[in-house]
Amino acid sequence: MMGLYRVEESVPLSERVFQLWIRAPHIARHAGAGQFLVIRINEHGERIPLTISAVKGDLVRVIFMTVGKTTTQLATLGAGDTIRDIVGPLGKPTEVKAYGTCAVVGGGVGIAGAPIIARALRGKGNRVIGILGARSAPFMILEDEMRGSCDEVLVATDDGTMGRKGFAADLLREVIAREHLDATWIIGPAIMMKVTSEVTRPLGIRTFVSLNPIMVDGTGMCGSCRVMVGGKTRFACVDGPEFDAHQVDFDGLMSRQRMYVDEEKRAMEHLHAGQCGAGR
Ligand SMILES: Cc1cc2nc3c(=O)[nH]c(=O)nc-3n(C[C@H](O)[C@H](O)[C@H](O)COP(=O)(O)OP(=O)(O)OC[C@H]3O[C@@H](n4cnc5c(N)ncnc54)[C@H](O)[C@@H]3O)c2cc1C
Ligand code: FES
């Protein structure tokens, strides 16, 4: 069946990370920093949420890592291919205000969502310090774009093959030791967001994290994205995805992320066997 959204460009950015520019004028017109899309490649596919990483005219950009069936299928699309459904922009946009000095911290593929937030904050007159962390140099993405979007950018890799040897949390600690921060955004794997947000907690620095629980409909109907924030149940798709980092129950989030591991494994096995089913 003919899809409705045309892929204009597909580029590998690093090992297992891909960038797609997709023509979606009505989404591009309304998209804000911090929001996301729900994508279904074809009528038999499962829906997956991906952050809106950039907007250019009628085009929206997504950047994703191949971790399972749908992201692996998405990585096979090239210019001219089409995507069946895209819903968005979803979620609440980033709270962009004049804070003063802000840090925007991206870890791994979470860096995908960092430049659009940095640019929005800078557009409000904030001084923005970008902090990027990746496992190793081949996994670092969007460094140049972050340099163009921030006043200063600091880079770390776990193995020291690019920038400082260490973690984004170490660089954030150094920034806080040298100057006052008014607000911080952290986007990355749940464990990275948990550890990194502990750096700002003792100083009471306002800190936002962009949560990535399992999502199905993305519209607040199914409850699969529920997370505990400040002791209350919140739905990341409609109440978030950005929340006050110091209120988030990260252990609960991580345990719910592992809920479908067996189903996800089976879906990948079917994909490899050439029997793509209808998803979970
Ligand atoms: C608001 C939001 C924004 C996101 N933005 C990005 C992005 O910009 N780039 C990117 O690479 N990834 C992003 N993710 C994660 C992405 O949605 C999952 O990697 C994707 O759904 C995996 O689908 P799959 O079929 O390839 O893998 P699966 O086989 O379904 O799962 C493989 C792994 O991904 C995790 N996962 C599965 N489904 C989801 C889901 N719906 N949400 C979160 N994690 C899931 C599982 O825990 C598992 O470890 C985002 C998630 C959320 C909630
Ligand atoms: S994804 Fe269904 S309620 Fe949020």
Side-chain angles (χ1 to χ4, degrees), residues 135-146:
R135 237 191 307 158
S136 181
F139 296 94
M140 183 60 73
I141 58 168
L142 303 184
E143 191 203 347
D144 288 347
E145 189 169 323
M146 275 299 272

Side-chain angles (χ1 to χ4, degrees), residues 8 37 52 58 65 70 73 92 96 114 120 131 140 148 166 225 256 259 272:
E8 297 294 340
L37 307 173
I52 299 170
D58 285 348
M65 177 176 280
T70 305
Q73 288 176 318
K92 291 189 174 156
V96 180
I131 298 178
M140 183 60 73
C225 67
R256 284 187 58 79
M259 253 177 20
H272 285 138

Side-chain angles (χ1 to χ4, degrees), residues 214-226 235-238:
I214 304 281
M215 287 188 182
V216 176
D217 64 336
T219 59
M221 305 296 284
C222 69
S224 63
C225 67
R226 64 183 179 275
F235 290 166
C237 65
V238 286

Side-chain angles (χ1 to χ4, degrees), residues 21 27-29 31-32 52-57 59-61 116 119:
W21 281 100
I27 294 172
R29 254 195 307 281
I52 299 170
S53 172
V55 174
K56 190 169 60 185
L59 308 183
V60 290
R61 180 177 74 182
I116 191 169
R119 282 193 291 271

Side-chain angles (χ1 to χ4, degrees), residues 36-38 46-50 67-68 190 193 210-227 234-238 241 243 250 252-265 280:
F36 64 97
L37 307 173
V38 169
E46 69 175 20
R47 295 175 166 79
I48 64 159
L50 292 176
V67 293
M193 292 193 284
S210 181
L211 299 188
N212 54 353
I214 304 281
M215 287 188 182
V216 176
D217 64 336
T219 59
M221 305 296 284
C222 69
S224 63
C225 67
R226 64 183 179 275
V227 286
R234 310 293 301 275
F235 290 166
C237 65
V238 286
F243 291 102
F250 283 104
L253 170 70
M254 288 186 276
S255 116
R256 284 187 58 79
Q257 281 177 333
R258 291 189 291 269
M259 253 177 20
Y260 296 106
V261 167
D262 292 340
E263 288 86 343
E264 287 156 1
K265 205 166 145 245
R280 52 177 172 253

